[in-house]
Coordinates of all heavy atoms in Angstrom, one line a residue:
T1 N 35.2 -94.2 94.1 CA 36.4 -93.7 94.8 C 37.4 -93.1 93.8 O 38.6 -92.8 94.2 CB 37.1 -94.8 95.6 OG1 37.4 -95.9 94.7 CG2 36.2 -95.4 96.7
D2 N 37.0 -92.8 92.6 CA 37.9 -92.2 91.6 C 37.8 -90.7 91.5 O 38.4 -90.2 90.5 CB 37.6 -92.9 90.3 CG 36.2 -92.7 89.8 OD1 35.3 -92.4 90.6 OD2 36.0 -92.8 88.5
L3 N 37.2 -90.0 92.4 CA 37.1 -88.6 92.4 C 38.0 -88.0 93.4 O 38.6 -88.7 94.2 CB 35.6 -88.1 92.6 CG 34.6 -88.7 91.6 CD1 33.2 -88.4 92.0 CD2 34.9 -88.2 90.2
Y4 N 38.1 -86.7 93.5 CA 39.0 -86.0 94.4 C 38.7 -86.5 95.8 O 37.6 -86.5 96.3 CB 38.8 -84.5 94.4 CG 39.6 -83.8 95.4 CD1 41.0 -83.6 95.3 CD2 39.0 -83.4 96.6 CE1 41.7 -83.0 96.3 CE2 39.7 -82.8 97.6 CZ 41.1 -82.6 97.5 OH 41.8 -82.0 98.5
G5 N 39.8 -86.9 96.5 CA 39.7 -87.4 97.9 C 39.3 -88.8 98.1 O 39.3 -89.3 99.2
G6 N 39.0 -89.5 97.0 CA 38.5 -90.9 97.1 C 39.6 -91.8 97.2 O 40.7 -91.6 96.7
D7 N 39.4 -92.9 98.0 CA 40.4 -94.0 98.1 C 39.7 -95.3 98.5 O 39.0 -95.4 99.5 CB 41.4 -93.6 99.2 CG 42.5 -94.7 99.3 OD1 43.5 -94.7 98.5 OD2 42.4 -95.5 100.3
Y8 N 39.9 -96.3 97.7 CA 39.2 -97.6 97.8 C 39.6 -98.3 99.1 O 38.7 -98.8 99.9 CB 39.4 -98.5 96.6 CG 38.5 -99.7 96.7 CD1 37.2 -99.7 96.5 CD2 39.1 -101.0 96.9 CE1 36.4 -100.8 96.6 CE2 38.3 -102.1 96.9 CZ 37.0 -102.0 96.8 OH 36.2 -103.2 96.8
T9 N 40.8 -98.3 99.4 CA 41.3 -99.0 100.7 C 40.7 -98.3 101.9 O 40.2 -99.0 102.8 CB 42.8 -99.0 100.8 OG1 43.3 -99.7 99.6 CG2 43.3 -99.7 102.0
T10 N 40.6 -97.0 101.9 CA 40.0 -96.2 103.0 C 38.5 -96.5 103.0 O 38.0 -96.7 104.1 CB 40.3 -94.7 102.8 OG1 41.7 -94.5 102.7 CG2 39.7 -93.9 103.9
L11 N 37.9 -96.6 101.9 CA 36.5 -96.9 101.9 C 36.2 -98.3 102.5 O 35.2 -98.4 103.3 CB 35.9 -96.9 100.5 CG 34.4 -97.2 100.3 CD1 33.6 -96.1 101.0 CD2 34.0 -97.3 98.9
L12 N 37.0 -99.3 102.2 CA 36.8 -100.6 102.8 C 36.9 -100.5 104.3 O 36.2 -101.2 105.1 CB 37.8 -101.6 102.3 CG 37.6 -102.0 100.8 CD1 38.7 -103.0 100.4 CD2 36.3 -102.7 100.6
R13 N 37.9 -99.7 104.8 CA 38.0 -99.6 106.3 C 36.7 -98.9 106.9 O 36.2 -99.3 107.9 CB 39.2 -98.7 106.7 CG 40.5 -99.4 106.5 CD 41.6 -98.7 107.2 NE 41.9 -97.4 106.7 CZ 42.8 -97.2 105.8 NH1 43.6 -98.2 105.3 NH2 43.0 -96.0 105.3
S14 N 36.1 -98.0 106.2 CA 34.9 -97.4 106.6 C 33.7 -98.3 106.6 O 32.9 -98.3 107.5 CB 34.6 -96.1 105.8 OG 35.6 -95.1 106.0
L15 N 33.7 -99.1 105.5 CA 32.6 -100.1 105.5 C 32.7 -101.2 106.6 O 31.7 -101.6 107.2 CB 32.7 -100.9 104.1 CG 32.3 -100.0 102.9 CD1 32.6 -100.8 101.6 CD2 30.9 -99.6 102.9
R16 N 33.9 -101.5 106.9 CA 34.1 -102.5 108.0 C 33.7 -101.8 109.3 O 33.0 -102.5 110.2 CB 35.6 -102.9 108.1 CG 35.8 -103.9 109.2 CD 37.2 -104.5 109.1 NE 38.3 -103.6 109.3 CZ 39.1 -103.2 108.4 NH1 39.0 -103.6 107.1 NH2 40.1 -102.3 108.6
K17 N 34.0 -100.5 109.5 CA 33.5 -99.8 110.7 C 32.0 -99.8 110.8 O 31.5 -100.0 111.9 CB 34.1 -98.4 110.6 CG 33.8 -97.5 111.8 CD 34.5 -96.2 111.5 CE 34.4 -95.2 112.7 NZ 35.2 -94.0 112.5
L18 N 31.3 -99.5 109.7 CA 29.9 -99.5 109.7 C 29.3 -100.9 110.0 O 28.4 -101.1 110.8 CB 29.3 -99.0 108.4 CG 29.6 -97.5 108.1 CD1 28.9 -97.2 106.7 CD2 29.0 -96.6 109.2
A19 N 29.9 -101.9 109.4 CA 29.4 -103.3 109.6 C 29.6 -103.7 111.0 O 28.8 -104.6 111.5 CB 30.1 -104.2 108.6
E20 N 30.5 -103.2 111.7 CA 30.8 -103.6 113.1 C 30.0 -102.8 114.1 O 30.2 -103.1 115.3 CB 32.3 -103.5 113.4 CG 33.1 -104.6 112.6 CD 34.6 -104.5 112.7 OE1 35.1 -103.4 113.2 OE2 35.3 -105.4 112.4
V21 N 29.2 -101.8 113.7 CA 28.4 -101.1 114.6 C 27.3 -102.2 115.1 O 26.7 -102.9 114.4 CB 27.6 -100.0 113.9 CG1 26.6 -99.4 114.9 CG2 28.6 -98.9 113.5
E22 N 27.2 -102.2 116.4 CA 26.3 -103.2 117.0 C 24.8 -103.0 116.6 O 24.4 -101.8 116.5 CB 26.4 -103.2 118.6 CG 27.7 -103.7 119.1 CD 27.8 -103.8 120.6 OE1 26.7 -103.7 121.2 OE2 28.8 -104.1 121.1
G23 N 24.1 -104.1 116.4 CA 22.7 -104.0 116.2 C 22.4 -103.8 114.7 O 23.3 -103.8 113.8
D24 N 21.1 -103.5 114.4 CA 20.7 -103.3 113.1 C 20.2 -101.8 112.9 O 19.7 -101.2 113.9 CB 19.5 -104.2 112.7 CG 19.3 -104.3 111.2 OD1 20.2 -103.8 110.4 OD2 18.3 -104.9 110.8
Y25 N 20.3 -101.3 111.8 CA 19.9 -99.9 111.5 C 19.2 -99.9 110.1 O 19.5 -100.6 109.2 CB 21.1 -99.0 111.4 CG 21.7 -98.6 112.8 CD1 22.6 -99.5 113.4 CD2 21.4 -97.4 113.4 CE1 23.1 -99.2 114.6 CE2 22.0 -97.1 114.6 CZ 22.8 -98.0 115.2 OH 23.4 -97.7 116.5
R26 N 18.2 -98.9 110.0 CA 17.7 -98.6 108.7 C 18.7 -97.7 108.1 O 19.1 -96.6 108.7 CB 16.4 -97.9 108.9 CG 15.8 -97.2 107.6 CD 15.6 -98.1 106.5 NE 14.6 -99.2 106.8 CZ 14.2 -100.1 105.9 NH1 14.7 -100.1 104.7 NH2 13.3 -101.0 106.2
V27 N 19.3 -98.0 106.9 CA 20.3 -97.3 106.3 C 19.7 -96.4 105.2 O 19.0 -96.8 104.3 CB 21.3 -98.2 105.6 CG1 22.4 -97.4 104.9 CG2 22.0 -99.1 106.6
Y28 N 19.9 -95.1 105.4 CA 19.4 -94.1 104.5 C 20.6 -93.5 103.7 O 21.4 -92.8 104.1 CB 18.7 -92.9 105.2 CG 17.5 -93.3 106.0 CD1 17.5 -93.6 107.3 CD2 16.3 -93.4 105.3 CE1 16.3 -93.9 108.0 CE2 15.1 -93.8 105.9 CZ 15.1 -94.0 107.3 OH 14.0 -94.4 107.9
P29 N 20.7 -94.0 102.4 CA 21.9 -93.6 101.6 C 21.7 -92.3 100.9 O 20.6 -91.7 100.8 CB 22.0 -94.8 100.6 CG 20.5 -95.1 100.4 CD 19.8 -94.9 101.7
G30 N 22.8 -91.8 100.3 CA 22.8 -90.6 99.5 C 22.0 -90.6 98.3 O 21.5 -89.6 97.8
H31 N 21.8 -91.8 97.7 CA 21.1 -92.0 96.5 C 20.4 -93.4 96.5 O 20.9 -94.3 97.1 CB 22.0 -92.0 95.2 CG 22.8 -90.7 95.1 ND1 22.4 -89.6 94.4 CD2 24.0 -90.4 95.6 CE1 23.3 -88.7 94.5 NE2 24.3 -89.1 95.2
G32 N 19.3 -93.5 95.9 CA 18.6 -94.8 95.8 C 17.8 -95.2 97.0 O 17.5 -94.4 97.9
D33 N 17.4 -96.5 97.0 CA 16.5 -97.0 98.0 C 17.2 -97.2 99.4 O 18.4 -97.4 99.5 CB 16.0 -98.3 97.6 CG 15.1 -98.2 96.3 OD1 14.5 -97.1 96.1 OD2 15.0 -99.2 95.6
S34 N 16.4 -97.1 100.4 CA 16.9 -97.4 101.8 C 17.1 -98.9 101.9 O 16.6 -99.7 101.1 CB 15.9 -96.9 102.8 OG 15.7 -95.5 102.7
T35 N 17.9 -99.3 102.9 CA 18.2 -100.7 103.1 C 18.3 -100.9 104.6 O 18.0 -100.0 105.4 CB 19.4 -101.1 102.3 OG1 19.6 -102.5 102.5 CG2 20.6 -100.3 102.7
T36 N 18.9 -102.0 105.0 CA 19.2 -102.2 106.5 C 20.6 -102.6 106.6 O 21.2 -103.2 105.6 CB 18.3 -103.3 107.1 OG1 18.6 -104.5 106.6 CG2 16.8 -102.9 106.9
L37 N 21.2 -102.3 107.7 CA 22.6 -102.7 107.9 C 22.8 -104.2 107.9 O 23.8 -104.7 107.3 CB 23.1 -102.1 109.2 CG 24.6 -102.3 109.5 CD1 25.5 -101.7 108.4 CD2 24.9 -101.7 110.9
Q38 N 21.8 -104.9 108.5 CA 22.0 -106.4 108.5 C 21.9 -107.0 107.1 O 22.6 -107.9 106.8 CB 20.9 -107.0 109.4 CG 21.0 -108.5 109.6 CD 22.3 -109.0 110.2 OE1 23.0 -108.2 110.8 NE2 22.7 -110.2 110.0
F39 N 21.0 -106.4 106.3 CA 20.9 -106.9 104.9 C 22.2 -106.7 104.2 O 22.7 -107.6 103.4 CB 19.8 -106.2 104.1 CG 19.7 -106.6 102.7 CD1 18.9 -107.7 102.3 CD2 20.3 -105.9 101.7 CE1 18.8 -108.1 101.0 CE2 20.2 -106.3 100.3 CZ 19.5 -107.4 100.0
E40 N 22.8 -105.5 104.4 CA 24.1 -105.2 103.7 C 25.2 -106.1 104.2 O 26.1 -106.5 103.5 CB 24.4 -103.7 103.8 CG 23.4 -102.8 103.2 CD 23.1 -103.1 101.7 OE1 24.1 -103.4 101.0 OE2 21.9 -103.1 101.3
R41 N 25.2 -106.4 105.5 CA 26.2 -107.3 106.1 C 26.2 -108.6 105.3 O 27.2 -109.3 105.0 CB 26.0 -107.5 107.6 CG 26.3 -106.3 108.5 CD 26.2 -106.8 109.9 NE 26.3 -105.7 110.9 CZ 25.3 -105.3 111.7 NH1 24.1 -105.8 111.5 NH2 25.6 -104.3 112.5
Q42 N 25.0 -109.1 105.1 CA 24.8 -110.4 104.5 C 24.9 -110.5 103.0 O 25.2 -111.5 102.4 CB 23.4 -111.0 104.9 CG 23.3 -111.2 106.4 CD 21.9 -111.5 106.8 OE1 20.9 -111.4 106.1 NE2 21.7 -112.0 108.1

C-alpha cells in the first residue's frame, strides 16, 4: 500500500468486504498461487 493510490486502512476495509462474501471461492490472485476464501479467512 506504499505506492500511488495505496492506503492500508482502505485495504483492510476491502479485505473485510471480501471475507464477508457468502460462501467459499477459489481465489485467483494477481501473483503467486491460488487459494480459497475460506482458507484466507482462517
Side-chain angles (χ1 to χ4, degrees):
T1 58
D2 60 336
L3 303 172
Y4 174 77
D7 181 79
Y8 186 68
T9 301
T10 302
L11 181 66
L12 289 178
R13 286 198 294 267
S14 292
L15 292 173
R16 183 167 66 249
K17 183 177 186 176
L18 292 181
E20 291 176 345
V21 173
E22 290 187 7
D24 197 11
Y25 285 79
R26 168 63 60 178
V27 178
Y28 293 99
H31 304 268
D33 295 334
S34 301
T35 183
T36 68
L37 186 58
Q38 185 59 20
F39 179 88
E40 298 306 318
R41 289 186 187 113
Q42 295 173 347

